[in-house]
C-alpha cells in the first residue's frame, strides 16, 4: 500500500468515531441507559471483530503477544468510560473539546517516547485544529456552557487514554495480522467496560433485543472498525500524524447531528468544521517525508 492509503485508513478511523455521538443520542432517546448502550457497543463490537477473524488466514501468536494486545485494549475501553463520565456533568460540546485535546497529547507522546521533536508546521496544524474544534463544538455560539472540575478531569483523562490507545496501535503487535490485532484490542476494551458497567442487560431479553440494533451500529463504528483501521495505518504514519488525522471525528459528528438529528448547526460551527479540515491538510502536506522518518524511529518501540 502507498503512504497516502495508510493515512486514509487512520482518517477513516477518526471518521468512525464521529458517527458515535449521533447513534448514542438516538439510543438514549429510545430509553436505554449508559450501561446498556456502552455495554452493548463493546460487546457487539468485540463479537464482530472475532467473526472477521474466523474468515481470515489463521496465524499463531505467542501468549506474551496476546497479553500485550489485551493490555493495549485497556485504554481503548477506558476512553469510553471516562468520556461518558465527563458527559454526566459537562455539556456535550464542552466534553468533546476536552476529548479533542488528544491532537496535541499525541505529538507530546511522540516527542517523549519516540524522541521526535514536533516541527513548526505540526505545531501550527495543532493550533488550527484546536481553534476549529472550539468553533465546531459551538462554544462561541453558546452562553450556557458550565464548567465542572470533575467533568473536566474525566474529559482530560479520556483524551489521555485515547492518545495512549492510538500510540499503542502504532507500536504494539506490528507483526500481528490487523484483524487479529483488532480483535484482541477490542476484547481488552470489552473487559474493562464490563468491569465498570456490569452487563445485567444480557439477562433481560427484551432489553437485549431492543438495544441490539444500536449496539451493532455503535460496535461497528466504535469498536470493530477503528482498531482495525488504526492497526493497518498507524504503524506506518506514527502517533503524531495519527492524532492529527483522527481529528476528522469532530467534523463528522457535527455533520451527522445536522443531517440525522436535525440539530441546528450555526455558521461558526460549519466554519470550525472547515478549519479542522484545513488543519488536517496542513499537518500532512509533507506526509511522505515525515512518514519515512517516523517509520525508522518507531521500530525501536515495538
Amino acid at each position: 500500500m502507498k503512504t497516502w492509503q495508510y493515512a486514509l485508513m487512520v482518517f477513516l478511523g477518526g471518521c468512525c468515531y464521529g458517527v458515535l455521538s449521533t447513534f448514542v443520542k438516538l439510543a438514549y432517546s429510545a430509553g436505554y441507559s449508559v450501561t446498556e448502550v456502552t455495554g452493548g457497543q463493546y460487546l457487539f463490537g468485540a463479537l464482530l471483530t472475532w467473526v472477521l477473524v474466523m474468515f481470515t488466514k489463521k496465524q499463531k501468536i505467542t501468549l506474551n503477544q496476546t497479553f500485550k494486545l489485551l493490555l493495549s485494549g485497556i485504554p481503548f475501553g477506558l476512553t469510553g468510560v471516562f468520556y461518558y463520565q465527563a458527559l454526566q456533568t459537562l455539556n456535550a460540546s464542552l466534553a468533546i473539546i476536552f476529548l479533542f485535546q488528544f491532537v496535541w497529547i499525541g505529538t507530546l507522546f511522540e516527542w517523549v517516547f519516540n524522541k521526535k521533536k514536533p516541527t513548526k508546521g505540526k505545531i501550527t496544524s495543532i493550533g488550527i485544529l484546536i481553534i476549529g474544534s472550539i468553533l465546531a463544538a459551538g462554544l462561541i455560539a453558546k452562553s450556557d456552557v458550565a464548567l465542572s472540575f470533575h467533568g473536566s478531569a474525566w474529559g482530560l483523562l479520556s483524551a489521555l487514554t485515547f492518545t495512549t490507545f492510538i500510540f499503542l496501535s502504532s507500536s504494539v503487535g506490528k507483526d500481528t495480522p490487523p484483524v487479529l490485532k483488532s480483535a484482541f484490542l477490542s476484547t481488552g476494551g470489552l473487559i474493562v467496560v464490563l468491569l465498570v458497567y456490569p452487563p445485567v442487560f444480557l439477562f433481560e431479553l427484551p432489553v437485549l433485543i431492543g438495544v441490539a440494533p444500536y449496539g451493532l451500529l455503535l460496535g461497528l463504528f466504535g469498536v470493530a472498525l477503528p482498531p482495525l483501521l488504526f492497526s493497518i495505518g498507524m504503524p506506518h504514519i506514527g502517533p503524531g500524524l495519527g492524532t492529527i488525522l483522527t481529528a476528522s471525528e469532530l467534523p463528522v459528528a457535527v455533520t451527522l447531528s445536522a443531517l440525522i438529528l436535525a440539530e441546528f448547526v450555526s455558521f461558526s460551527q460549519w466554519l470550525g468544521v472547515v478549519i479542522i479540515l484545513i488543519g488536517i491538510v496542513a499537518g500532512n502536506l509533507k506526509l511522505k517525508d515525515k512518514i519515512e522518518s517516523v517509520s525508522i524511529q518507531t521500530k525501536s518501540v515495538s
Side-chain angles (χ1 to χ4, degrees):
M1 292 179 68
K2 297 181 180 180
T3 52
W4 69 267
Q5 292 174 313
Y6 291 117
L8 179 62
M9 291 284 188
V10 177
F11 178 85
L12 291 176
C15 290
C16 288
Y17 280 119
V19 173
L20 300 183
S21 60
T22 296
F23 289 113
V24 166
K25 289 181 180 179
L26 290 174
Y28 286 163
S29 64
Y32 297 105
S33 67
V34 173
T35 298
E36 294 159 355
V37 173
T38 309
Q41 172 183 331
Y42 280 84
L43 176 62
F44 286 108
L47 289 175
L48 285 172
T49 57
W50 282 110
V51 169
L52 287 175
V53 170
M54 294 172 59
F55 293 95
T56 59
K57 184 179 179 181
K58 302 298 182 292
Q59 179 175 326
K60 293 183 179 180
I61 64 172
T62 66
L63 186 62
N64 184 49
Q65 288 175 315
T66 300
F67 185 66
K68 283 184 177 180
L69 288 171
L70 287 173
L71 285 179
S72 298
I74 291 177
F76 180 41
L78 286 176
T79 300
V81 172
F82 291 154
Y83 185 61
Y84 284 125
Q85 285 293 327
L87 286 171
Q88 298 299 310
T89 55
L90 290 181
N91 183 288
S93 61
L94 188 57
I96 200 169
I97 291 299
F98 280 105
L99 175 62
F100 206 78
Q101 301 311 303
F102 68 79
V103 297
W104 64 265
I105 298 177
T107 297
L108 180 62
F109 269 38
E110 193 174 43
W111 190 2
V112 172
F113 296 107
N114 292 346
K115 310 301 180 185
K116 182 175 175 59
K117 187 176 180 179
T119 62
K120 291 182 179 179
K122 184 177 289 185
I123 293 174
T124 300
S125 175
I126 291 172
I128 294 172
L129 289 172
I130 295 297
I131 293 171
S133 67
I134 293 173
L135 290 170
L139 292 184
I140 302 298
K142 298 176 182 178
S143 58
D144 59 342
V145 176
L147 187 67
S148 77
F149 173 77
H150 289 95
S152 302
W154 288 121
L156 288 174
L157 280 173
S158 70
L160 182 62
T161 53
F162 185 53
T163 308
T164 304
F165 169 63
I166 292 175
F167 184 82
L168 292 174
S169 296
S170 69
S171 57
V172 176
K174 288 184 176 181
D175 298 327
T176 306
V179 175
L180 185 60
K181 179 179 177 179
S182 175
F184 280 115
L185 289 173
S186 60
T187 302
L190 173 64
I191 293 171
V192 172
V193 169
L194 293 185
L195 288 174
V196 178
Y197 298 120
V200 293
F201 67 92
L202 290 177
F203 304 100
E204 301 176 14
L205 189 58
V207 176
L208 179 60
I209 294 175
V211 82
Y214 301 103
L216 284 169
L217 284 169
L218 292 170
L220 176 64
F221 289 106
V223 179
L225 286 178
L228 177 59
L229 294 170
F230 291 165
S231 296
I232 296 173
M234 283 292 183
H236 299 274
I237 67 172
L241 288 172
T243 48
I244 290 176
L245 285 164
T246 51
S248 58
E249 170 190 354
L250 193 49
V252 172
V254 172
T255 302
L256 287 183
S257 68
L259 295 178
I260 296 179
L261 300 178
E263 292 184 353
F264 173 74
V265 179
S266 66
F267 173 77
S268 63
Q269 287 179 276
W270 287 121
L271 179 61
V273 167
V274 174
I275 290 175
I276 289 173
L277 296 176
I278 291 173
I280 293 173
V281 172
N284 295 275
L285 289 176
K286 297 181 179 180
L287 185 60
K288 183 178 290 187
D289 293 338
K290 292 179 181 179
I291 289 174
E292 291 175 355
S293 174
V294 168
S295 62
I296 294 173
Q297 294 179 9
T298 53
K299 285 180 180 178
S300 61
V301 181
S302 59

